Amino acid sequence: MKKLYLYLFLDICVFGNDISFEYLKHSAHENSHRLKLRSIDTTIEEARLDSIYSTLYPQLSFGYNGEYNHNLDTTAEGVSVGGTVINSTISNKDSISLKMNYELYHFGTTLKQIEMSKNEIAAKKLEACNEETKLHKELLDHYATAQKSQSEYRYKSQMHTLRQELYTLKQRLYTAGKESRISVGDEAIRLIDLERDIERARMSYDENLIALSKLSHIDLNLKETQLLPLNTNPEEIRIGSFEESSQAHQYQEKILQKNNEISMNERSQLPVISLYYNYYFYGSDKHNAYDAFSNMKPNSWNTGLSVQWNLFEGFKYNHESARLHYERDRLYEEYALAKREFDANTQTKQQRLQRLAILTKNETEALNETRSKMKMTQRLREQGEADAVSEVSVKLENLERELTLQTESIQHAYEAESLKLQHRGVEECRFK
């Protein structure tokens, strides 16, 4: 049922060659190699946690040893010195051993390793969430820039037609002696500048559309694709604190992980208490190795407690402890810096939205006045009280104001969507 709703949603987002920002985001979610790499990183850490859990269980090992001895001193018997056995008169010896070792107590060092691993998994998921937000921002930057370029191309193409008409009119007036050569030359320069602007707008649009294709993994048609408006309402954006952001949560997990690492380093200086158990099979024969193996039988077993305490390691602990504390101090500074940048960006975007709203309102009023002026000029033109040059000039002014208003509207929607992405909560991330 969820997939059905998703397909219906995508159908709403895409009409033929009309592409929405939401559709591009969804496609990027499903296909982005960057997000897949982050997901794999999380899976790797989860596998590492399973490996750490295995240290809570006893360690059981099996050993076999087959040996041939040649005694140079035939009068001597075998002598054991510590763990070394000096050759006896028995030539072929075989042994099998079963060994078990279980760490009974190490002051919670293993549990701290587990906590650190869990912190790392949480940090990796939050890192993936931040990567997802970063991908959205890249898409948004290219999307808004492409929208502006597309709008500029469309309006300036219309303006080019009017400029061409105005240039032709002024040439005629110059021939009739009613327009100066300088005025005609200025109009020609404006026409050339407009052609340059149109070409630059087209180039910018193509470049940003190619970037959108790469990020979203959708082959967008450079000539036919139309980008739908963002339509983000600033009033509906929830402005949260830095502490609620995925970036802050990631730093918090890293700090917790570093605290656990410091605690584990301190506990590693305490004794390790272990339980061990060994069971031995032994067989020997003076003449034949096969008979030595066949004669193998239970020989002995032992069990005991082992205590190991590293009293001095060449000041390794002191240096390691200092390094870990410095690394934690660095994380605190990074957290404080990220918070200041987050708050400053929020304030800047909010002020920019307010100013853009005022500019859009003023530009709308100016456009309405220009449209009234254009209608009046058209009526005067029909009555013979205004010339063709004035009529075309007013039409050009109207298109310029429409382009300015369109650009400011796109920028306003971009700033609103950017603010929304910045305050995207952890619960909105796909990686949880």
Side-chain angles (χ1 to χ4, degrees):
M1 183 61 71
K2 290 183 178 179
K3 288 187 177 180
L4 177 59
Y5 289 148
L6 179 60
Y7 293 146
L8 291 174
F9 170 73
L10 294 179
D11 286 340
I12 293 172
C13 291
V14 185
F15 298 94
N17 291 315
D18 293 347
I19 301 295
S20 73
F21 181 61
E22 291 298 326
Y23 177 68
L24 293 176
K25 282 202 303 183
H26 172 76
S27 180
H29 280 164
E30 298 300 319
N31 301 290
S32 173
H33 297 297
R34 288 156 51 179
L35 297 184
K36 289 178 181 178
L37 286 172
R38 298 300 182 188
S39 179
I40 292 172
D41 288 342
T42 303
T43 306
I44 291 172
E45 292 304 323
E46 290 172 343
R48 185 174 286 118
L49 175 60
D50 293 336
S51 177
I52 296 174
Y53 271 122
S54 66
T55 60
L56 295 175
Y57 296 93
Q59 307 299 311
L60 184 64
S61 62
F62 169 84
Y64 166 76
N65 185 48
E67 185 177 277
Y68 173 78
N69 296 318
H70 183 73
N71 194 357
L72 299 177
D73 185 359
T74 57
T75 63
E77 295 291 335
V79 180
S80 175
V81 181
T84 303
V85 178
I86 299 175
N87 289 345
S88 65
T89 57
I90 301 175
S91 301
N92 301 285
K93 291 188 276 188
D94 289 280
S95 65
I96 291 177
S97 63
L98 293 174
K99 299 181 180 181
M100 185 204 67
N101 189 73
Y102 183 49
E103 185 178 294
L104 292 177
Y105 191 63
H106 193 189
F107 297 89
T109 302
T110 303
L111 297 179
K112 284 297 177 183
Q113 285 182 318
I114 292 173
E115 287 183 32
M116 285 173 54
S117 184
K118 288 180 178 179
N119 293 142
E120 184 65 20
I121 291 171
K124 288 294 183 183
K125 289 182 178 180
L126 290 165
E127 187 177 342
C129 183
N130 291 331
E131 186 66 36
E132 190 178 55
T133 302
K134 182 180 177 182
L135 177 61
H136 290 178
K137 288 181 179 179
E138 287 184 36
L139 282 167
L140 179 62
D141 289 342
H142 290 295
Y143 193 89
T145 305
Q147 278 186 311
K148 291 178 185 178
S149 300
Q150 192 175 44
S151 178
E152 184 178 2
Y153 177 82
R154 183 170 62 253
Y155 278 103
K156 289 196 173 182
S157 295
Q158 297 177 44
M159 292 165 64
H160 183 270
T161 302
L162 291 175
R163 281 287 176 194
Q164 186 67 52
E165 182 181 348
L166 190 59
Y167 176 70
T168 303
L169 288 172
K170 287 191 175 184
Q171 274 188 322
R172 292 176 183 173
L173 291 172
Y174 170 72
T175 304
K178 296 181 180 181
E179 194 73 45
S180 68
R181 180 62 185 172
I182 294 177
S183 178
V184 175
D186 289 341
E187 200 59 49
I189 293 172
R190 294 189 188 99
L191 196 59
I192 294 171
D193 289 341
L194 198 56
E195 291 172 352
R196 180 199 59 197
D197 292 343
I198 291 171
E199 187 58 34
R200 285 179 176 175
R202 186 66 196 183
M203 181 175 64
S204 174
Y205 175 75
D206 289 348
E207 289 176 353
N208 283 280
L209 213 63
I210 290 170
L212 288 173
S213 296
K214 183 193 72 172
L215 292 171
S216 65
H217 295 257
I218 299 174
D219 292 329
L220 300 174
N221 190 307
L222 298 180
K223 295 183 178 179
E224 299 178 3
T225 299
Q226 296 293 322
L227 302 177
L228 298 174
L230 289 169
N231 294 327
T232 306
N233 188 358
E235 285 73 21
E236 297 177 356
I237 299 174
R238 178 186 173 276
I239 305 298
S241 64
F242 173 72
E243 288 73 17
E244 298 176 274
S245 67
S246 59
Q247 187 180 13
H249 281 279
Q250 184 182 2
Y251 276 117
Q252 290 164 8
E253 290 294 339
K254 287 183 176 180
I255 291 171
L256 284 175
Q257 183 184 25
K258 193 58 63 177
N259 285 332
N260 285 325
E261 192 173 354
I262 290 172
S263 177
M264 188 184 73
N265 186 55
E266 293 172 351
R267 293 164 189 259
S268 68
Q269 301 305 302
L270 300 174
V272 182
I273 303 174
S274 302
L275 171 68
Y276 65 87
Y277 177 82
N278 300 305
Y279 195 90
Y280 299 100
F281 293 81
Y282 179 77
S284 64
D285 190 88
K286 291 184 177 181
H287 308 290
N288 190 291
Y290 177 77
D291 290 339
F293 185 82
S294 301
N295 293 334
M296 192 176 297
K297 59 183 178 179
N299 180 267
S300 63
W301 64 270
N302 59 59
T303 186
L305 285 174
S306 169
V307 178
Q308 182 178 354
W309 194 353
N310 295 327
L311 298 177
F312 181 69
E313 297 178 306
F315 303 104
K316 177 182 177 182
Y317 166 75
N318 295 341
H319 298 315
E320 187 71 10
S321 179
R323 179 184 67 82
L324 293 173
H325 280 83
Y326 287 139
E327 288 178 352
R328 185 178 61 181
D329 292 341
R330 177 181 173 81
L331 286 173
Y332 282 133
E333 289 299 324
E334 288 180 359
Y335 182 90
L337 176 60
K339 184 179 187 305
R340 288 185 64 85
E341 291 178 347
F342 182 92
D343 293 339
N345 287 335
T346 298
Q347 185 178 4
T348 300
K349 291 180 185 299
Q350 287 177 318
Q351 290 183 350
R352 196 173 293 166
L353 279 169
Q354 293 174 359
R355 291 171 182 169
L356 283 169
I358 294 173
L359 288 173
T360 302
K361 180 182 177 182
N362 294 338
E363 196 61 40
T364 302
E365 293 175 355
L367 178 60
N368 291 334
E369 291 296 328
T370 303
R371 286 173 177 171
S372 299
K373 179 181 175 181
M374 185 172 65
K375 291 179 181 179
M376 186 182 298
T377 305
Q378 287 175 341
R379 286 197 299 269
L380 292 173
R381 172 71 173 148
E382 291 171 358
Q383 296 172 5
E385 297 179 9
D387 57 16
V389 172
S390 298
E391 183 181 12
V392 174
S393 297
V394 173
K395 287 181 180 179
L396 280 169
E397 182 183 352
N398 182 72
L399 286 174
E400 288 173 354
R401 292 198 178 278
E402 285 184 357
L403 174 58
T404 302
L405 178 60
Q406 184 74 16
T407 302
E408 289 176 354
S409 298
I410 293 172
Q411 186 65 28
H412 186 271
Y414 164 79
E415 296 294 345
E417 185 67 26
S418 179
L419 184 63
K420 179 181 176 182
L421 287 176
Q422 181 174 336
H423 289 269
R424 187 168 171 260
V426 178
E427 67 282 355
E428 298 179 60
C429 290
R430 187 178 63 168
F431 304 90
K432 296 180 182 179

